[in-house]
Amino acid sequence: MSLRTFILGLSASFGVAWLAIIVVPFFKMRDLAPIQLSEAMDGTTGVFFPKRSGRVADGAKVYAENGCYLCHTQVVRPTYAGNDMYRPDWAGLATDADRGDTRRETNAYDFFGEKFAQIGVMRLGPDLSNLGRRVETIHAPGGDPAGWLYRHLYQPRGNPQLWKSTCPPLPFLFVKREIKSSPSADAVRVDAAGEHEWVPGSDAKALVSYLLSLKKDQKAPASLNFAPKKASGAP
Ligand code: HEC
């Protein structure tokens, strides 16, 4: 094979990947017109309103400033571009006690309230689309999801299961202060003498609120849901 054929072949494969992963989803997602729900398909009528709570805009800014998007994606890929749906904790939950099967692909409404859709540059760490739910149900079940995230951000290797984590620590998002009577509930560290504690600063609070808002627990309108219909019964 000549070098020329090789280079042409390489450019063609990148070109196809670029079309499938960037261009097609872009055109599918750029139009954020209100969506009418259909009685037949969605079981209800009216206009779809994406539900999201928390300090979304502030937190998205901290997420961008600290380059989280460099290693984490927020895209449950369209099935034709590589299947993420088999990971029940990435694409939503296979069995959500209140809502049933909420697994689905990412749509533009998942970024509601953010200036940019931070879909990410590469997946060095796990996809964070459904992180809020994952922390609540897997990392800190029945416990303190915000506390788990504060500890992760302060020192990802602090968690014995993640002692090799390459997620960067962000100690500068926390403030050191004197302990008045007893350490506060969200302290991530207390010094040996028990005189000082490190607590989340305002950027850490905004970021954690944002991270907890990353959930796929709302069913997408049938007209928006690109996932194959049989996914609901699939394992
Ligand atoms: C240099 C690449 C890199 C950057 C930048 C990075 N992370 Fe990570 N992150 C990782 C890797 C790798 C993991 C997987 C290992 C682990 O669980 O700690 C991870 C794991 C995580 C987890 C646990 C995810 C889960 O589902 O269990 C969270 C939460 C997280 N990162 C948040 C962040 C946030 C927020 C930022 C930005 C402030 C960030 N990361 C920046 C590489 C990175």
Side-chain angles (χ1 to χ4, degrees):
M1 190 201 297
S2 75
L3 184 64
R4 196 159 164 263
T5 329
F6 176 72
I7 293 176
L8 276 175
L10 202 66
S11 332
S13 7
F14 275 117
V16 171
W18 176 72
L19 279 172
I21 297 172
I22 310 285
V23 180
V24 175
F26 174 80
F27 282 103
K28 272 186 167 173
M29 288 186 182
R30 68 176 179 167
D31 186 14
L32 270 191
I35 297 179
Q36 292 292 335
L37 296 167
S38 107
E39 181 72 58
M41 308 266 281
D42 299 304
T44 178
T45 50
V47 174
F48 168 69
F49 191 81
K51 284 195 197 128
R52 214 174 166 191
S53 57
R55 296 176 59 189
V56 174
D58 291 356
K61 198 161 156 273
V62 183
Y63 187 91
E65 283 166 357
N66 289 285
C68 312
Y69 62 90
L70 292 170
C71 299
H72 292 283
T73 51
Q74 286 187 37
V75 178
V76 174
R77 293 175 292 188
T79 31
Y80 65 79
N83 193 359
D84 290 331
M85 301 286 284
Y86 74 96
R87 304 173 196 256
D89 57 334
W90 274 30
L93 297 178
T95 45
D96 183 313
D98 306 324
R99 302 165 194 86
D101 189 337
T102 57
R103 286 173 300 170
R104 60 176 175 79
E105 295 161 4
T106 292
N107 65 57
Y109 295 81
D110 289 323
F111 302 98
F112 186 70
E114 297 186 49
K115 199 164 175 193
F116 301 100
Q118 301 189 64
I119 61 171
V121 174
M122 65 174 173
R123 273 185 187 163
L124 197 68
D127 183 89
L128 300 182
S129 303
N130 193 38
L131 177 75
R133 268 287 180 206
R134 191 154 68 239
V135 176
E136 286 170 5
T137 55
I138 298 173
H139 295 312
D144 171 18
W148 189 91
L149 282 168
Y150 287 137
R151 289 191 296 280
H152 178 88
L153 295 176
Y154 183 75
Q155 179 47 280
R157 295 184 181 191
N159 178 345
Q161 284 159 347
L162 302 178
W163 65 280
K164 280 186 177 168
S165 179
T166 46
C167 195
L170 305 167
F172 50 86
L173 296 183
F174 294 80
V175 286
K176 181 180 174 184
R177 69 176 185 201
E178 215 176 296
I179 299 177
K180 292 282 188 299
S181 53
S182 56
S184 53
D186 54 6
V188 289
R189 181 179 154 199
V190 174
D191 63 5
E195 286 169 359
H196 294 95
E197 63 179 359
W198 282 257
V199 290
S202 73
D203 277 1
K205 287 184 181 160
L207 179 58
V208 164
S209 174
Y210 169 78
L211 294 173
L212 287 172
S213 80
L214 301 176
K215 285 178 185 169
K216 295 229 169 313
D217 60 356
Q218 186 185 17
K219 279 197 174 157
S223 59
L224 237 196
N225 201 354
F226 313 129
K229 295 290 167 275
K230 66 176 184 300
S232 59

